[in-house]
Amino acid sequence: MADPTYTPPKVWKNTESGGKFANINRPTAGARFDRDLPVGEHPFQLYSLATPNGVKATIMLEELLEAGHAEADYDAWLINIGEGDQFSSGFTDINPNSKIPALLDRSGDTPVRVFESGAILLYLAEKFGRFLPTDHTRAEVLSWLFWQIGSAPFIGGGFGHFYAYAPEKYEYPIDRYAMETKRLFDVADKRLAEARFLGGDDYTVADIAAFPWMAPFVEGIIYEDARTFLSIDEYANVARWAAEIAARPAVKRGRMVNRTWGDEDEQVRERHAASDFERQTVTAD
């Protein structure tokens, strides 16, 4: 049990903090072991896991394919962050920050690495000219995209960590981040009371970014009983928006890719072809 009267020392030193990810967390960057990443046959190589940030990338790629962009075909390789796969030399070559998702675009003469989920969405939207307007509404869409990128740490590393993953429950951090998470839901709810989607009338990268974080709260499938704890039922407009997006075929597929938990018929552990969804479960053995 941590000391509730803790006083920070003059100089911080790393100690074992406990919690779900204590075995992999360190205050240093860089590769911890040598291992090349696998490479498939498609133009895009995605290295990821079906966390909210990872799902952003797979939904985007599946939406591009659904829209007829065959050149957006991709291989999705599983990166098990609980086992530290993100610290391999191959992965850190693509993302020095050791976070999923990471994307390698091999469609041109020179491979292009793209890391950070928001950068991946923006890169793909601009490359294919989809899900990002070029008219006066572009600024609105980008504003909501970056609103989500800035919000995620408060929801995940803040509320999610202290409510579900921390080794002890403390009132102050849980209250602090619960308040911020509810405020963010209220921001979205008020926006969605006046517009069909976050950016306006059209479905865009702003929705693709926000959906994987907000929908699981509505559905009650993230951070234990967070749906009840945060009274998520209060946000009717968010629920309407989440249900509409969840029904999209590309979104259904995108949520399955690199998924390693839940029902087997909801998992496509690795995705290398459209036919992988017909088999539902694709193991990486």
Side-chain angles (χ1 to χ4, degrees):
M1 185 72 175
D3 183 357
T5 62
Y6 167 75
T7 299
K10 185 174 182 179
V11 178
W12 180 84
K13 293 183 179 179
N14 187 34
T15 58
E16 178 64 51
S17 60
K20 185 172 182 179
F21 299 103
N23 63 315
I24 60 172
N25 288 336
R26 298 180 189 175
T28 55
R32 299 180 187 174
F33 58 94
D34 290 329
R35 186 169 70 200
D36 293 335
L37 290 175
V39 178
E41 65 180 28
H42 295 304
F44 292 96
Q45 300 297 301
L46 180 70
Y47 303 94
S48 192
L49 183 69
T51 65
N53 284 333
V55 168
K56 294 178 193 177
T58 49
I59 287 178
M60 183 66 175
L61 287 162
E62 290 295 332
E63 289 283 12
L64 289 168
L65 292 171
E66 185 79 10
H69 295 282
E71 62 273 29
D73 213 351
Y74 69 105
D75 293 279
W77 303 93
L78 180 65
I79 299 296
N80 190 325
I81 62 175
E83 295 181 1
D85 290 348
Q86 68 274 31
F87 300 110
S88 74
S89 57
F91 190 87
T92 56
D93 282 346
I94 298 179
N95 185 357
N97 195 38
S98 295
K99 302 290 184 181
I100 59 94
L103 182 71
L104 187 65
D105 178 2
R106 304 188 306 150
S107 62
D109 294 336
T110 302
V112 176
R113 73 176 188 180
V114 193
F115 59 92
E116 296 297 326
S117 59
I120 291 172
L121 294 184
L122 191 56
Y123 178 82
L124 292 172
E126 292 181 336
K127 185 178 182 73
F128 291 99
R130 297 301 296 257
F131 308 114
L132 181 61
T134 57
D135 62 9
H136 66 282
T137 63
R138 180 183 176 89
E140 183 76 15
V141 170
L142 289 176
S143 293
W144 285 106
L145 171 62
F146 284 95
W147 168 81
Q148 190 286 315
I149 301 302
S151 299
F154 292 98
I155 297 175
F159 172 76
H161 176 78
F162 287 105
Y163 182 73
Y165 299 150
E168 296 98 15
K169 306 290 188 185
Y170 285 110
E171 183 177 6
Y172 176 78
I174 292 175
D175 283 354
R176 170 68 180 88
Y177 289 111
M179 177 178 66
E180 182 63 11
T181 300
K182 286 184 66 65
R183 189 190 70 79
L184 292 167
F185 266 81
D186 197 44
V187 170
D189 201 64
K190 285 180 167 59
R191 169 57 177 168
L192 293 168
E194 64 186 20
R196 181 180 176 188
F197 296 107
L198 287 172
D201 295 333
D202 298 321
Y203 174 71
T204 68
V205 289
D207 304 290
I208 294 172
F211 172 83
W213 276 103
M214 307 194 87
F217 283 89
V218 174
E219 298 162 345
I221 59 172
I222 194 171
Y223 303 139
E224 300 173 351
D225 198 22
R227 182 176 186 270
T228 299
F229 181 73
L230 296 174
S231 302
I232 296 296
D233 286 347
E234 295 176 354
Y235 309 107
N237 299 306
V238 172
R240 182 269 306 162
W241 166 85
E244 179 176 354
I245 295 174
R248 296 175 67 92
V251 172
K252 291 180 180 180
R253 295 194 302 271
R255 298 182 86 179
M256 297 167 64
V257 178
N258 296 146
R259 186 179 176 94
T260 61
W261 56 88
D263 296 337
E264 285 194 350
D265 62 0
E266 297 176 344
Q267 299 178 27
V268 174
R269 295 171 64 90
E270 290 188 357
R271 187 269 188 210
H272 303 291
S275 59
D276 289 341
F277 295 101
E278 299 171 7
R279 291 179 289 160
Q280 300 299 329
T281 301
V282 179
T283 61
D285 297 336

